[in-house]
Amino acid sequence: MLVEERLAKIQEIVEKKKNVTIEELVDQLNVSKDTVRRDLIKLEKKGVLKRTYGGAISGKKEALIMGYEERSKIYSTPKKKIAKAAEPLILEFSSVIFDSSTTVEAVIPLLASKSLTAITNSLTHAVELAKHGNKDIKVVGGKLHQIQLFLYGSDTVLELSQYRVDYTLLGVFAITGSGLYIHTEEEGLVKRAMVNCAKKVIAVADSTKMDTTGFFKVCALEDIDVLITDVEPSPDFQRDLQEHGVDLIIAG
């Protein structure tokens, strides 16, 4: 096996298992421990993995997966700042898709005085929107996720494809220079449909979502129009946003 082939194989093993020992790599690659150690050093320099005592772990940052109750309670201050920055972008009498993100949910109370046509796949968001009588609310159909309390599936995607709205407020699970990601294909397809049917996509993400990834790609970076976050991203990521025509707003 050539060196580059071996390095690619080690990368594949580590990304799949997340945590691997030198002995496991020796057995799978049929090489010596010294060879494996040298290969791990090379891959660590590339940022592919991190060496540990007796092995290695994936260097790829995965966004944290949490249930609805956890998501709604954590990082409340950044969410409020982001919501305050998002509110002025939504004009009265417009049509808006609200995805199931808790950061998106934080925007809803700030829109209380605005007459809007609201579309959502989130039961909790629908309840929050219903507190204000000046909203025409549509909840799209589908299969209910009993933990996250959103609707998803082929029926949801199909129904969303029938709309053409002014804005989509899109919560971000993970974002890098190559696009937006989520941990499940089912939710990712719903978010993608929401992106595709909006004239303007406003993505909201606290700083913990930056430079993290997930299992399924929702869309490319150029598919969003605005990114609102609470902390200034790295210079490299800001260049990526600029190159792809994404307006960056840092919530104060």
Side-chain angles (χ1 to χ4, degrees):
M1 184 182 294
L2 297 175
V3 175
E4 292 304 319
E5 291 176 332
R6 193 172 65 245
L7 293 176
K9 182 64 176 177
I10 292 174
Q11 181 175 348
E12 179 185 338
I13 293 169
V14 173
E15 288 185 357
K16 183 177 181 180
K17 296 192 68 177
K18 307 301 181 188
N19 191 343
V20 67
T21 66
I22 289 176
E23 286 76 13
E24 287 174 315
L25 293 173
V26 167
D27 289 341
Q28 293 192 49
L29 300 171
N30 195 27
V31 294
S32 69
K33 288 184 179 181
D34 286 341
T35 298
V36 169
R37 289 190 183 99
R38 286 194 295 269
D39 289 346
L40 293 180
I41 291 171
K42 292 176 183 176
L43 290 171
E44 185 176 46
K45 288 180 178 177
K46 293 181 178 181
V48 169
L49 53 77
K50 293 180 181 178
R51 288 184 298 148
T52 62
Y53 182 76
I57 60 174
S58 174
K60 195 175 184 180
K61 293 201 297 183
E62 295 286 343
L64 184 63
I65 301 172
M66 294 181 283
Y68 176 80
E69 289 296 330
E70 294 173 289
R71 292 189 293 121
S72 63
K73 293 175 183 177
I74 200 166
Y75 309 128
S76 60
T77 300
K79 287 176 184 176
K80 289 177 181 177
K81 290 181 179 179
I82 292 168
K84 188 175 180 180
E87 180 273 328
L89 303 182
I90 306 297
L91 301 181
E92 190 163 17
F93 305 117
S94 59
S95 53
V96 187
I97 286 179
F98 297 84
D99 89 341
S100 58
S101 159
T102 54
T103 306
V104 168
E105 184 178 26
V107 183
I108 295 174
L110 303 183
L111 300 172
S113 65
K114 296 182 181 181
S115 297
L116 300 171
T117 298
I119 302 164
T120 187
N121 68 322
S122 167
L123 299 186
T124 56
H125 293 15
V127 170
E128 185 63 34
L129 286 161
K131 293 177 181 179
H132 316 293
N134 54 354
K135 305 289 189 295
D136 182 11
I137 305 165
K138 169 67 177 179
V139 180
V140 294
K143 182 178 179 180
L144 177 65
H145 192 296
Q146 296 184 29
I147 297 175
Q148 305 287 4
L149 301 178
F150 62 76
L151 295 141
Y152 68 99
S154 57
D155 290 341
T156 312
V157 172
L158 179 61
E159 189 170 347
L160 285 167
S161 70
Q162 308 304 309
Y163 292 103
R164 181 62 174 166
V165 298
D166 296 308
Y167 308 100
T168 284
L169 269 175
L170 187 75
V172 175
F173 175 80
I175 185 169
T176 69
S178 61
L180 283 67
Y181 294 84
I182 190 77
H183 59 292
T184 66
E185 180 178 356
E186 291 84 0
E187 189 174 3
L189 289 172
V190 172
K191 284 179 175 284
R192 183 183 292 173
M194 291 176 168
V195 169
N196 290 339
C197 66
K199 297 175 186 176
K200 187 171 189 176
V201 178
I202 302 168
V204 290
D206 65 67
S207 58
T208 65
K209 311 300 174 58
M210 300 296 157
D211 195 29
T212 61
T213 188
F215 171 72
F216 186 82
K217 185 172 183 177
V218 175
C219 65
L221 209 55
E222 60 262 29
D223 293 326
I224 65 172
D225 299 287
V226 180
L227 174 64
I228 306 175
T229 188
D230 59 312
V231 176
E232 188 171 342
S234 68
D236 286 344
F237 186 64
Q238 290 190 54
R239 280 193 292 270
D240 288 332
L241 293 172
Q242 188 174 16
E243 289 173 3
H244 291 87
V246 181
D247 293 330
L248 175 64
I249 296 176
I250 309 299

mmCIF file of all heavy atoms in Angstrom, residues 81-120:
data_model
loop_
_atom_site.group_PDB
_atom_site.id
_atom_site.type_symbol
_atom_site.label_atom_id
_atom_site.label_comp_id
_atom_site.label_asym_id
_atom_site.label_seq_id
_atom_site.Cartn_x
_atom_site.Cartn_y
_atom_site.Cartn_z
ATOM 1 N N LYS A 81 -29.501 38.352 21.494
ATOM 2 C CA LYS A 81 -28.775 39.357 20.716
ATOM 3 C C LYS A 81 -28.995 39.140 19.216
ATOM 4 O O LYS A 81 -29.222 40.087 18.463
ATOM 5 C CB LYS A 81 -27.282 39.284 21.037
ATOM 6 C CG LYS A 81 -26.908 39.765 22.424
ATOM 7 C CD LYS A 81 -25.401 39.679 22.624
ATOM 8 C CE LYS A 81 -24.982 40.174 23.999
ATOM 9 N NZ LYS A 81 -23.508 40.069 24.205
ATOM 10 N N ILE A 82 -28.901 37.885 18.803
ATOM 11 C CA ILE A 82 -29.095 37.554 17.391
ATOM 12 C C ILE A 82 -30.519 37.882 16.955
ATOM 13 O O ILE A 82 -30.745 38.436 15.875
ATOM 14 C CB ILE A 82 -28.767 36.064 17.146
ATOM 15 C CG1 ILE A 82 -27.262 35.826 17.333
ATOM 16 C CG2 ILE A 82 -29.209 35.627 15.757
ATOM 17 C CD1 ILE A 82 -26.871 34.367 17.411
ATOM 18 N N ALA A 83 -31.487 37.542 17.799
ATOM 19 C CA ALA A 83 -32.889 37.824 17.487
ATOM 20 C C ALA A 83 -33.126 39.326 17.321
ATOM 21 O O ALA A 83 -33.842 39.758 16.404
ATOM 22 C CB ALA A 83 -33.783 37.269 18.594
ATOM 23 N N LYS A 84 -32.517 40.126 18.188
ATOM 24 C CA LYS A 84 -32.674 41.579 18.109
ATOM 25 C C LYS A 84 -32.117 42.126 16.798
ATOM 26 O O LYS A 84 -32.675 43.059 16.208
ATOM 27 C CB LYS A 84 -31.976 42.233 19.296
ATOM 28 C CG LYS A 84 -32.243 43.721 19.429
ATOM 29 C CD LYS A 84 -31.617 44.274 20.704
ATOM 30 C CE LYS A 84 -31.894 45.775 20.843
ATOM 31 N NZ LYS A 84 -31.286 46.325 22.084
ATOM 32 N N ALA A 85 -31.031 41.522 16.317
ATOM 33 C CA ALA A 85 -30.444 41.961 15.046
ATOM 34 C C ALA A 85 -31.273 41.494 13.850
ATOM 35 O O ALA A 85 -31.276 42.144 12.798
ATOM 36 C CB ALA A 85 -29.016 41.430 14.932
ATOM 37 N N ALA A 86 -31.964 40.375 13.998
ATOM 38 C CA ALA A 86 -32.756 39.823 12.892
ATOM 39 C C ALA A 86 -34.078 40.555 12.703
ATOM 40 O O ALA A 86 -34.558 40.702 11.566
ATOM 41 C CB ALA A 86 -33.024 38.335 13.137
ATOM 42 N N GLU A 87 -34.664 41.023 13.784
ATOM 43 C CA GLU A 87 -36.012 41.618 13.730
ATOM 44 C C GLU A 87 -36.168 42.730 12.698
ATOM 45 O O GLU A 87 -37.134 42.744 11.917
ATOM 46 C CB GLU A 87 -36.400 42.098 15.134
ATOM 47 C CG GLU A 87 -37.787 42.727 15.211
ATOM 48 C CD GLU A 87 -37.773 44.216 14.902
ATOM 49 O OE1 GLU A 87 -36.767 44.884 15.218
ATOM 50 O OE2 GLU A 87 -38.762 44.711 14.313
ATOM 51 N N PRO A 88 -35.237 43.702 12.600
ATOM 52 C CA PRO A 88 -35.431 44.798 11.640
ATOM 53 C C PRO A 88 -35.406 44.354 10.179
ATOM 54 O O PRO A 88 -35.889 45.090 9.301
ATOM 55 C CB PRO A 88 -34.255 45.738 11.928
ATOM 56 C CG PRO A 88 -33.762 45.363 13.280
ATOM 57 C CD PRO A 88 -34.019 43.910 13.410
ATOM 58 N N LEU A 89 -34.845 43.179 9.914
ATOM 59 C CA LEU A 89 -34.743 42.704 8.531
ATOM 60 C C LEU A 89 -36.069 42.183 7.990
ATOM 61 O O LEU A 89 -36.248 42.068 6.781
ATOM 62 C CB LEU A 89 -33.688 41.599 8.429
ATOM 63 C CG LEU A 89 -32.271 41.948 8.907
ATOM 64 C CD1 LEU A 89 -31.346 40.757 8.690
ATOM 65 C CD2 LEU A 89 -31.736 43.180 8.186
ATOM 66 N N ILE A 90 -36.999 41.852 8.894
ATOM 67 C CA ILE A 90 -38.303 41.307 8.500
ATOM 68 C C ILE A 90 -39.308 42.440 8.390
ATOM 69 O O ILE A 90 -39.704 43.051 9.396
ATOM 70 C CB ILE A 90 -38.804 40.261 9.525
ATOM 71 C CG1 ILE A 90 -37.761 39.172 9.756
ATOM 72 C CG2 ILE A 90 -40.131 39.672 9.068
ATOM 73 C CD1 ILE A 90 -37.438 38.355 8.534
ATOM 74 N N LEU A 91 -39.719 42.759 7.185
ATOM 75 C CA LEU A 91 -40.642 43.865 6.966
ATOM 76 C C LEU A 91 -42.086 43.442 7.211
ATOM 77 O O LEU A 91 -42.458 42.286 6.978
ATOM 78 C CB LEU A 91 -40.490 44.393 5.538
ATOM 79 C CG LEU A 91 -39.106 44.902 5.149
ATOM 80 C CD1 LEU A 91 -39.113 45.416 3.716
ATOM 81 C CD2 LEU A 91 -38.625 45.995 6.121
ATOM 82 N N GLU A 92 -42.889 44.398 7.645
ATOM 83 C CA GLU A 92 -44.302 44.117 7.899
ATOM 84 C C GLU A 92 -45.012 43.748 6.604
ATOM 85 O O GLU A 92 -44.643 44.177 5.519
ATOM 86 C CB GLU A 92 -44.976 45.322 8.543
ATOM 87 C CG GLU A 92 -46.378 45.006 9.053
ATOM 88 C CD GLU A 92 -46.901 46.032 10.034
ATOM 89 O OE1 GLU A 92 -46.343 47.145 10.086
ATOM 90 O OE2 GLU A 92 -47.868 45.713 10.733
ATOM 91 N N PHE A 93 -46.033 42.899 6.762
ATOM 92 C CA PHE A 93 -46.876 42.401 5.671
ATOM 93 C C PHE A 93 -46.120 41.450 4.729
ATOM 94 O O PHE A 93 -46.566 41.192 3.613
ATOM 95 C CB PHE A 93 -47.498 43.547 4.863
ATOM 96 C CG PHE A 93 -48.265 44.528 5.705
ATOM 97 C CD1 PHE A 93 -47.858 45.854 5.792
ATOM 98 C CD2 PHE A 93 -49.377 44.124 6.433
ATOM 99 C CE1 PHE A 93 -48.567 46.759 6.573
ATOM 100 C CE2 PHE A 93 -50.089 45.027 7.221
ATOM 101 C CZ PHE A 93 -49.675 46.341 7.296
ATOM 102 N N SER A 94 -44.995 40.942 5.182
ATOM 103 C CA SER A 94 -44.242 39.991 4.371
ATOM 104 C C SER A 94 -44.611 38.559 4.754
ATOM 105 O O SER A 94 -45.273 38.305 5.762
ATOM 106 C CB SER A 94 -42.743 40.214 4.532
ATOM 107 O OG SER A 94 -42.351 40.075 5.877
ATOM 108 N N SER A 95 -44.165 37.613 3.920
ATOM 109 C CA SER A 95 -44.363 36.189 4.202
ATOM 110 C C SER A 95 -43.036 35.612 4.669
ATOM 111 O O SER A 95 -41.987 35.873 4.080
ATOM 112 C CB SER A 95 -44.862 35.454 2.960
ATOM 113 O OG SER A 95 -44.013 35.694 1.848
ATOM 114 N N VAL A 96 -43.108 34.815 5.745
ATOM 115 C CA VAL A 96 -41.887 34.341 6.398
ATOM 116 C C VAL A 96 -42.006 32.870 6.759
ATOM 117 O O VAL A 96 -43.004 32.442 7.336
ATOM 118 C CB VAL A 96 -41.594 35.134 7.693
ATOM 119 C CG1 VAL A 96 -40.227 34.743 8.259
ATOM 120 C CG2 VAL A 96 -41.678 36.628 7.462
ATOM 121 N N ILE A 97 -40.974 32.101 6.426
ATOM 122 C CA ILE A 97 -40.864 30.727 6.909
ATOM 123 C C ILE A 97 -39.984 30.742 8.152
ATOM 124 O O ILE A 97 -38.874 31.285 8.135
ATOM 125 C CB ILE A 97 -40.267 29.792 5.847
ATOM 126 C CG1 ILE A 97 -41.294 29.518 4.755
ATOM 127 C CG2 ILE A 97 -39.808 28.480 6.481
ATOM 128 C CD1 ILE A 97 -40.796 28.613 3.651
ATOM 129 N N PHE A 98 -40.489 30.156 9.218
ATOM 130 C CA PHE A 98 -39.744 30.018 10.464
ATOM 131 C C PHE A 98 -39.362 28.550 10.628
ATOM 132 O O PHE A 98 -40.237 27.708 10.808
ATOM 133 C CB PHE A 98 -40.600 30.453 11.658
ATOM 134 C CG PHE A 98 -41.004 31.898 11.646
ATOM 135 C CD1 PHE A 98 -42.120 32.320 10.929
ATOM 136 C CD2 PHE A 98 -40.276 32.846 12.356
ATOM 137 C CE1 PHE A 98 -42.514 33.653 10.925
ATOM 138 C CE2 PHE A 98 -40.664 34.184 12.355
ATOM 139 C CZ PHE A 98 -41.774 34.588 11.641
ATOM 140 N N ASP A 99 -38.065 28.240 10.565
ATOM 141 C CA ASP A 99 -37.706 26.835 10.745
ATOM 142 C C ASP A 99 -37.739 26.495 12.240
ATOM 143 O O ASP A 99 -38.071 27.329 13.082
ATOM 144 C CB ASP A 99 -36.368 26.517 10.064
ATOM 145 C CG ASP A 99 -35.155 26.722 10.948
ATOM 146 O OD1 ASP A 99 -35.250 27.434 11.965
ATOM 147 O OD2 ASP A 99 -34.081 26.172 10.613
ATOM 148 N N SER A 100 -37.410 25.260 12.580
ATOM 149 C CA SER A 100 -37.646 24.771 13.942
ATOM 150 C C SER A 100 -36.556 25.131 14.940
ATOM 151 O O SER A 100 -36.584 24.675 16.081
ATOM 152 C CB SER A 100 -37.823 23.250 13.921
ATOM 153 O OG SER A 100 -36.690 22.616 13.356
ATOM 154 N N SER A 101 -35.591 25.942 14.555
ATOM 155 C CA SER A 101 -34.497 26.333 15.439
ATOM 156 C C SER A 101 -34.983 27.141 16.635
ATOM 157 O O SER A 101 -35.891 27.960 16.527
ATOM 158 C CB SER A 101 -33.481 27.151 14.639
ATOM 159 O OG SER A 101 -32.681 27.943 15.470
ATOM 160 N N THR A 102 -34.341 26.939 17.792
ATOM 161 C CA THR A 102 -34.691 27.740 18.965
ATOM 162 C C THR A 102 -34.158 29.167 18.843
ATOM 163 O O THR A 102 -34.680 30.078 19.502
ATOM 164 C CB THR A 102 -34.149 27.095 20.254
ATOM 165 O OG1 THR A 102 -32.738 26.870 20.123
ATOM 166 C CG2 THR A 102 -34.841 25.775 20.533
ATOM 167 N N THR A 103 -33.126 29.372 18.032
ATOM 168 C CA THR A 103 -32.661 30.739 17.773
ATOM 169 C C THR A 103 -33.699 31.491 16.945
ATOM 170 O O THR A 103 -33.975 32.668 17.190
ATOM 171 C CB THR A 103 -31.305 30.738 17.053
ATOM 172 O OG1 THR A 103 -30.375 29.957 17.797
ATOM 173 C CG2 THR A 103 -30.753 32.149 16.910
ATOM 174 N N VAL A 104 -34.292 30.809 15.974
ATOM 175 C CA VAL A 104 -35.393 31.398 15.204
ATOM 176 C C VAL A 104 -36.574 31.686 16.128
ATOM 177 O O VAL A 104 -37.215 32.736 16.030
ATOM 178 C CB VAL A 104 -35.810 30.457 14.057
ATOM 179 C CG1 VAL A 104 -37.135 30.907 13.430
ATOM 180 C CG2 VAL A 104 -34.720 30.389 12.995
ATOM 181 N N GLU A 105 -36.843 30.785 17.040
ATOM 182 C CA GLU A 105 -37.946 30.983 17.981
ATOM 183 C C GLU A 105 -37.755 32.269 18.793
ATOM 184 O O GLU A 105 -38.732 32.959 19.112
ATOM 185 C CB GLU A 105 -38.045 29.787 18.929
ATOM 186 C CG GLU A 105 -39.222 29.858 19.889
ATOM 187 C CD GLU A 105 -39.298 28.635 20.781
ATOM 188 O OE1 GLU A 105 -38.259 28.000 21.027
ATOM 189 O OE2 GLU A 105 -40.410 28.313 21.243
ATOM 190 N N ALA A 106 -36.505 32.608 19.098
ATOM 191 C CA ALA A 106 -36.227 33.811 19.877
ATOM 192 C C ALA A 106 -36.585 35.085 19.122
ATOM 193 O O ALA A 106 -36.792 36.144 19.732
ATOM 194 C CB ALA A 106 -34.748 33.836 20.273
ATOM 195 N N VAL A 107 -36.680 35.010 17.803
ATOM 196 C CA VAL A 107 -37.032 36.178 16.992
ATOM 197 C C VAL A 107 -38.532 36.468 17.060
ATOM 198 O O VAL A 107 -38.956 37.629 16.980
ATOM 199 C CB VAL A 107 -36.607 35.969 15.519
ATOM 200 C CG1 VAL A 107 -36.914 37.212 14.683
ATOM 201 C CG2 VAL A 107 -35.134 35.607 15.414
ATOM 202 N N ILE A 108 -39.324 35.439 17.221
ATOM 203 C CA ILE A 108 -40.783 35.561 17.102
ATOM 204 C C ILE A 108 -41.396 36.613 18.039
ATOM 205 O O ILE A 108 -42.189 37.456 17.591
ATOM 206 C CB ILE A 108 -41.463 34.187 17.288
ATOM 207 C CG1 ILE A 108 -41.059 33.259 16.132
ATOM 208 C CG2 ILE A 108 -42.983 34.326 17.363
ATOM 209 C CD1 ILE A 108 -41.542 31.826 16.271
ATOM 210 N N PRO A 109 -41.066 36.632 19.338
ATOM 211 C CA PRO A 109 -41.675 37.653 20.203
ATOM 212 C C PRO A 109 -41.359 39.082 19.772
ATOM 213 O O PRO A 109 -42.161 39.995 20.005
ATOM 214 C CB PRO A 109 -41.069 37.348 21.580
ATOM 215 C CG PRO A 109 -40.641 35.926 21.518
ATOM 216 C CD PRO A 109 -40.210 35.706 20.100
ATOM 217 N N LEU A 110 -40.222 39.279 19.140
ATOM 218 C CA LEU A 110 -39.825 40.623 18.702
ATOM 219 C C LEU A 110 -40.616 41.083 17.483
ATOM 220 O O LEU A 110 -40.597 42.265 17.132
ATOM 221 C CB LEU A 110 -38.327 40.654 18.390
ATOM 222 C CG LEU A 110 -37.400 40.229 19.534
ATOM 223 C CD1 LEU A 110 -35.943 40.373 19.116
ATOM 224 C CD2 LEU A 110 -37.672 41.046 20.796
ATOM 225 N N LEU A 111 -41.313 40.149 16.838
ATOM 226 C CA LEU A 111 -42.126 40.472 15.670
ATOM 227 C C LEU A 111 -43.599 40.641 16.031
ATOM 228 O O LEU A 111 -44.457 40.675 15.147
ATOM 229 C CB LEU A 111 -41.984 39.365 14.618
ATOM 230 C CG LEU A 111 -40.562 39.113 14.089
ATOM 231 C CD1 LEU A 111 -40.541 37.862 13.206
ATOM 232 C CD2 LEU A 111 -40.053 40.315 13.307
ATOM 233 N N ALA A 112 -43.874 40.764 17.312
ATOM 234 C CA ALA A 112 -45.264 40.779 17.798
ATOM 235 C C ALA A 112 -46.119 41.854 17.148
ATOM 236 O O ALA A 112 -47.305 41.635 16.869
ATOM 237 C CB ALA A 112 -45.266 40.946 19.320
ATOM 238 N N SER A 113 -45.550 43.010 16.869
ATOM 239 C CA SER A 113 -46.345 44.129 16.344
ATOM 240 C C SER A 113 -46.515 44.088 14.824
ATOM 241 O O SER A 113 -47.265 44.892 14.270
ATOM 242 C CB SER A 113 -45.700 45.459 16.743
ATOM 243 O OG SER A 113 -44.431 45.591 16.130
ATOM 244 N N LYS A 114 -45.836 43.164 14.159
ATOM 245 C CA LYS A 114 -45.853 43.135 12.697
ATOM 246 C C LYS A 114 -46.876 42.129 12.169
ATOM 247 O O LYS A 114 -46.949 40.995 12.632
ATOM 248 C CB LYS A 114 -44.464 42.781 12.154
ATOM 249 C CG LYS A 114 -43.409 43.823 12.483
ATOM 250 C CD LYS A 114 -42.051 43.471 11.880
ATOM 251 C CE LYS A 114 -41.010 44.521 12.237
ATOM 252 N NZ LYS A 114 -39.682 44.228 11.654
ATOM 253 N N SER A 115 -47.658 42.578 11.193
ATOM 254 C CA SER A 115 -48.591 41.673 10.514
ATOM 255 C C SER A 115 -47.803 40.852 9.499
ATOM 256 O O SER A 115 -47.151 41.409 8.613
ATOM 257 C CB SER A 115 -49.683 42.474 9.813
ATOM 258 O OG SER A 115 -50.450 43.182 10.755
ATOM 259 N N LEU A 116 -47.867 39.529 9.646
ATOM 260 C CA LEU A 116 -47.085 38.645 8.787
ATOM 261 C C LEU A 116 -47.880 37.419 8.389
ATOM 262 O O LEU A 116 -48.794 36.991 9.102
ATOM 263 C CB LEU A 116 -45.821 38.165 9.527
ATOM 264 C CG LEU A 116 -44.817 39.204 10.017
ATOM 265 C CD1 LEU A 116 -43.779 38.531 10.909
ATOM 266 C CD2 LEU A 116 -44.145 39.910 8.850
ATOM 267 N N THR A 117 -47.510 36.846 7.261
ATOM 268 C CA THR A 117 -47.952 35.495 6.915
ATOM 269 C C THR A 117 -46.821 34.568 7.314
ATOM 270 O O THR A 117 -45.700 34.679 6.796
ATOM 271 C CB THR A 117 -48.226 35.369 5.412
ATOM 272 O OG1 THR A 117 -49.280 36.253 5.055
ATOM 273 C CG2 THR A 117 -48.609 33.946 5.055
ATOM 274 N N ALA A 118 -47.096 33.701 8.268
ATOM 275 C CA ALA A 118 -46.063 32.857 8.854
ATOM 276 C C ALA A 118 -46.280 31.396 8.492
ATOM 277 O O ALA A 118 -47.396 30.877 8.598
ATOM 278 C CB ALA A 118 -46.047 33.012 10.365
ATOM 279 N N ILE A 119 -45.203 30.739 8.081
ATOM 280 C CA ILE A 119 -45.233 29.307 7.753
ATOM 281 C C ILE A 119 -44.160 28.632 8.587
ATOM 282 O O ILE A 119 -43.018 29.116 8.658
ATOM 283 C CB ILE A 119 -44.953 29.072 6.257
ATOM 284 C CG1 ILE A 119 -45.975 29.814 5.406
ATOM 285 C CG2 ILE A 119 -44.961 27.580 5.927
ATOM 286 C CD1 ILE A 119 -45.571 29.961 3.958
ATOM 287 N N THR A 120 -44.488 27.528 9.235
ATOM 288 C CA THR A 120 -43.514 26.838 10.064
ATOM 289 C C THR A 120 -43.769 25.338 10.105
ATOM 290 O O THR A 120 -44.889 24.882 9.850
ATOM 291 C CB THR A 120 -43.506 27.409 11.500
ATOM 292 O OG1 THR A 120 -42.430 26.835 12.250
ATOM 293 C CG2 THR A 120 -44.829 27.142 12.206
#
